[in-house]
């Protein structure tokens, strides 16, 4: 189940990269760049921090073919049909939910401290979005605005860690944790939930 979800998360982030490139009026090459950047940046940063070599995507042909195929399919779709305005956020939420859980699992397997598990899970989940937004010229990226994004990943990572400690099955843990991240993001998107902005103290 975890491997299937892993591929789903990578595919979702690849599609989100193309959707972001489309929204930014980029050419097909830009679409490919953003697809790969969004899909592999988080896992790459995680593996570098954990000193895991070779990097996971450098020897996984299936993963690279999947990203390229999703990028091509998404670009072909966008040539004929328009997607609803919030499609990018929904697709991105799928990627965030799955990749955050993958990051938590990898960090636990590396036997790092609980705090490091949370940090690595969040970094794995959000880095692709940050790189994608920066390449699109969106600043500050979604992560640094008042959106419930990194906080959703943090909640999912904490749930995964807690259920792991409680001895929950992998299926239950993955379902609950990824579902929590996705639900929080969808609540933020469709219910317009935001974190409070930093306010200056009146002088």
């Amino acid at each position: 189940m975890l491997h299937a979800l892993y591929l789903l998360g990578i595919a979702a982030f690849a599609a989100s990269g193309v959707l972001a490139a489309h929204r930014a009026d980029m050419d097909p090459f830009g679409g490919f760049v953003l697809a790969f950047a969004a899909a592999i940046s988080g896992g790459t940063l995680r593996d570098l921090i954990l000193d895991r070599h070779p990097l996971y995507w450098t020897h996984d042909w299936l993963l690279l073919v999947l990203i390229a195929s999703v990028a091509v399919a998404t670009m072909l779709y966008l040539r004929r049909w328009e997607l609803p305005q919030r499609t990018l956020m929904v697709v991105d939420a799928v990627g965030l939910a799955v990749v955050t859980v993958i990051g938590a699992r990898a960090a636990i397997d590396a036997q790092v401290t609980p705090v490091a598990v949370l940090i690595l899970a969040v970094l794995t989940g959000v880095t692709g979005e940050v790189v994608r937004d920066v390449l699109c010229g969106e600043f500050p990226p979604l992560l640094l605005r008042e959106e419930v994004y990194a906080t959703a990943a943090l909640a999912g990572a904490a749930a995964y860690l807690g259920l792991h400690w409680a001895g929950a099955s992998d299926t239950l843990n993955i379902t609950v944790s990824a579902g929590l991240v996705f639900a929080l993001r969808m609540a933020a998107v469709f219910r317009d939930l935001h974190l409070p902005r930093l306010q200056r103290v009146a002088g």
Side-chain angles (χ1 to χ4, degrees):
M1 178 182 182
L2 190 63
H3 186 67
L5 283 176
Y6 161 71
L7 295 177
L8 173 63
I10 292 296
F13 267 149
S16 78
V18 175
L19 292 171
H22 177 73
R23 189 174 63 182
D25 293 324
M26 293 185 178
D27 61 18
F29 180 75
F32 275 111
V33 169
L34 262 65
F36 277 90
I40 67 175
S41 293
T44 298
L45 179 60
R46 177 199 66 223
D47 283 0
L48 289 173
I49 293 173
L50 292 175
D51 196 26
R52 294 170 59 177
H53 298 285
L55 297 176
Y56 71 102
W57 54 267
T58 60
H59 54 89
D60 191 339
W61 280 103
L62 175 61
L63 182 68
L64 299 177
V65 170
L66 174 66
I67 295 171
S69 300
V70 169
V72 170
T74 306
M75 283 187 274
L76 290 175
Y77 183 93
L78 291 171
R79 288 179 66 88
R80 300 195 62 180
W81 296 285
E82 284 292 328
L83 289 172
Q85 185 176 4
R86 289 174 171 167
T87 299
L88 172 59
M89 291 186 177
V90 174
V91 173
D92 182 74
V94 174
L96 177 68
V98 174
V99 173
T100 296
V101 168
I102 298 293
R105 175 63 178 271
I108 290 173
D109 288 346
Q111 299 181 335
V112 300
T113 66
V115 173
V117 170
L118 299 179
I119 293 172
L120 286 166
V122 172
L123 286 176
T124 305
V126 307
T127 300
E129 175 274 328
V130 173
V131 173
R132 183 195 70 208
D133 284 1
V134 169
L135 291 175
C136 282
E138 294 187 18
F139 192 84
L142 186 64
L143 170 66
L144 300 180
R145 297 178 224 157
E146 71 274 17
E147 297 280 358
V148 177
Y149 196 87
T151 44
L154 180 61
Y160 189 93
L161 186 60
L163 288 170
H164 174 76
W165 281 345
S169 67
D170 280 347
T171 300
L172 176 63
N173 199 348
I174 293 167
T175 302
V176 171
S177 304
L180 176 61
V181 177
F182 184 77
L184 289 174
R185 274 300 296 145
M186 290 300 90
V189 171
F190 291 101
R191 297 288 184 177
D192 198 28
L193 299 181
H194 300 274
L195 295 176
R197 294 186 179 186
L198 292 174
Q199 300 291 336
R200 291 184 178 180
V201 177

